[in-house]
Amino acid sequence: MMVIIEFVLWYLVIGCVFDIVVKYLTNSLENAELLDRHNDFNNTDRVITILLWPIGLMFFLDGFIRTYFNNKDDD
């Protein structure tokens, strides 16, 4: 039983860290005027991000890898 609780707690901690990183990157892109829209997450969006962080991480890595290798081909 304790292993399940520990797993859930780590899952939620990683989700919180992922949410913080997403918010930081979004703010940085908005301040550098590289992101046109202003995305202000409400509490529901944050809970969904924390609970479904593996899906968000997959999308982020997919976009990052595609952008990285496409820019590398242009050099």
Side-chain angles (χ1 to χ4, degrees):
M1 183 65 172
M2 198 63 163
V3 174
I4 295 171
I5 293 172
E6 187 175 333
F7 174 78
V8 170
L9 286 176
W10 275 111
Y11 184 88
L12 293 175
V13 166
I14 294 170
C16 289
V17 170
F18 181 75
D19 183 59
I20 291 168
V21 169
V22 167
K23 183 66 175 169
Y24 174 77
L25 290 174
T26 303
N27 285 341
S28 297
L29 290 173
E30 287 174 356
N31 290 339
E33 296 181 1
L34 296 173
L35 189 63
D36 293 336
R37 60 179 190 244
H38 180 71
N39 287 339
D40 203 19
F41 283 359
N42 57 27
N43 288 337
T44 304
D45 296 334
R46 290 194 182 282
V47 169
I48 291 170
T49 303
I50 290 170
L51 293 177
L52 301 178
W53 66 265
I55 296 169
L57 183 62
M58 286 188 302
F59 280 111
F60 171 77
L61 290 175
D62 178 56
F64 179 79
I65 291 169
R66 288 178 192 243
T67 303
Y68 180 77
F69 286 113
N70 283 342
N71 287 341
K72 204 165 195 172
D73 291 339
D74 293 340
D75 291 338

